[in-house]
Amino acid sequence: EAQVTQNPRYLITVTGKKLTVTCSQNMNHEYMSWYRQDPGLGLRQIYYSMNVEVTDKGDVPEGYKVSRKEKRNFPLILESPSPNQTSLYFCASSPGTAYGYTFGSGTRLTVV
Amino acid sequence: GQNIDQPTEMTATEGAIVQINCTYQTSGFNGLFWYQQHAGEAPTFLSYNVLDGLEEKGRFSSFLSRSKGYSYLLLKELQMKDSASYLCAVRDVGSGYSTLTFGKGTMLLVSP
């Protein structure tokens, strides 16, 4: 089944403890992206990648890192999480600019 | 950057027709997408417009006017399951890369 898989689905962590949210797609898509969704603010892009080793900042990149060493994987790294990073995170992938994104099921992160 | 506006909430009755508007301002327009998102779930792709005109797909249609920076999503024969948030998203190719920016979404409530 074609899909974008994120893990974990839910995570509660403490301030300052490094964490990684994994994202993998099995559709051979070139484009991948991370979004966070907050009430009243909608979906905001954190980082995106157009291909292996090609990444760029979105609208809200502060406090996040990404890497794209393989085409299928696009992990999101929070080196030192803070409470303002409590949010619902979505990974998404797309085969190209004329196509919509396929979203993962989301990761609900709480930083205390 | 982009500025995308859509109404926050709309209500409609089962069986009726509803039109959700979206206006945008962007420097490098390269397509407009509509997504549906049920509470707590991932957004799912509904439609894509890159040229002016109407795209019809079953009960859903989407219209685009690039000169006016305007789009709408038309939902016919509304069903209770259509109660969801509808997200307008614009692809911009500024800076040589392609990013997808979302509006804050329109929450549609369908009542019996």
Side-chain angles (χ1 to χ4, degrees), chain A residues 35 37 48 50 97 99 101 104, chain B residues 35 37 42 91 97 99-100:
Chain A
Y35 288 86
Q37 187 171 38
Y48 62 95
M50 295 183 72
T97 57
Y99 301 87
Y101 271 119
Chain B
Y35 284 81
Q37 186 179 25
R91 192 179 289 282
Y97 286 100
T99 62
L100 190 62

Side-chain angles (χ1 to χ4, degrees), chain B residues 81-97:
Chain B
K81 68 178 182 179
D82 296 330
S83 291
S85 184
Y86 291 85
L87 312 177
C88 173
V90 173
R91 192 179 289 282
D92 187 282
V93 290
S95 304
Y97 286 100

Side-chain angles (χ1 to χ4, degrees), chain A residues 3-12 19-24 33-38 43 46 76 85-93 102-110, chain B residues 37-44:
Chain A
Q3 60 185 359
V4 178
T5 303
Q6 291 179 234
N7 280 297
R9 288 293 308 276
Y10 301 91
L11 178 61
I12 301 175
L19 67 90
T20 299
V21 183
T22 63
C23 174
S24 181
S33 187
W34 276 102
Y35 288 86
R36 61 177 289 174
Q37 187 171 38
D38 303 288
L43 279 163
I46 303 171
L76 180 69
Q85 293 178 298
T86 292
S87 186
L88 178 59
Y89 291 86
F90 288 104
C91 179
S93 73
T102 299
F103 283 81
S105 299
T107 296
R108 188 165 293 280
L109 172 67
T110 302
Chain B
Q37 186 179 25
H38 286 99
E41 297 182 10
T44 55

Side-chain angles (χ1 to χ4, degrees), chain A:
Chain A
E1 180 188 354
Q3 60 185 359
V4 178
T5 303
Q6 291 179 234
N7 280 297
R9 288 293 308 276
Y10 301 91
L11 178 61
I12 301 175
T13 190
V14 296
T15 299
K17 185 177 181 182
K18 181 180 178 180
L19 67 90
T20 299
V21 183
T22 63
C23 174
S24 181
Q25 51 95 2
N26 62 1
M27 297 168 280
N28 201 36
H29 286 174
E30 293 188 349
Y31 289 75
M32 296 189 75
S33 187
W34 276 102
Y35 288 86
R36 61 177 289 174
Q37 187 171 38
D38 303 288
L41 297 177
L43 279 163
R44 293 179 293 167
Q45 193 171 44
I46 303 171
Y47 270 94
Y48 62 95
S49 170
M50 295 183 72
N51 213 324
V52 176
E53 302 292 2
V54 181
T55 63
D56 206 351
K57 298 177 181 178
D59 296 320
V60 288
E62 294 77 21
Y64 304 95
K65 287 174 57 176
V66 293
S67 67
R68 187 92 182 274
K69 294 185 172 63
E70 309 163 276
K71 199 170 189 178
R72 64 183 293 127
N73 295 323
F74 191 45
L76 180 69
I77 304 157
L78 286 72
E79 294 271 4
S80 183
S82 63
N84 64 11
Q85 293 178 298
T86 292
S87 186
L88 178 59
Y89 291 86
F90 288 104
C91 179
S93 73
S94 169
T97 57
Y99 301 87
Y101 271 119
T102 299
F103 283 81
S105 299
T107 296
R108 188 165 293 280
L109 172 67
T110 302
V111 183
V112 298

Side-chain angles (χ1 to χ4, degrees), chain B residues 14-57:
Chain B
E14 198 174 13
I17 299 173
V18 70
Q19 178 175 311
I20 302 174
N21 296 324
C22 171
T23 59
Y24 63 89
Q25 295 171 321
T26 184
S27 54
F29 178 82
N30 189 233
L32 187 143
F33 298 80
W34 283 96
Y35 284 81
Q36 181 191 61
Q37 186 179 25
H38 286 99
E41 297 182 10
T44 55
F45 170 77
L46 289 177
S47 69
Y48 169 66
N49 295 72
V50 65
L51 300 176
D52 291 350
L54 187 68
E55 295 282 342
E56 297 186 81
K57 192 184 293 185

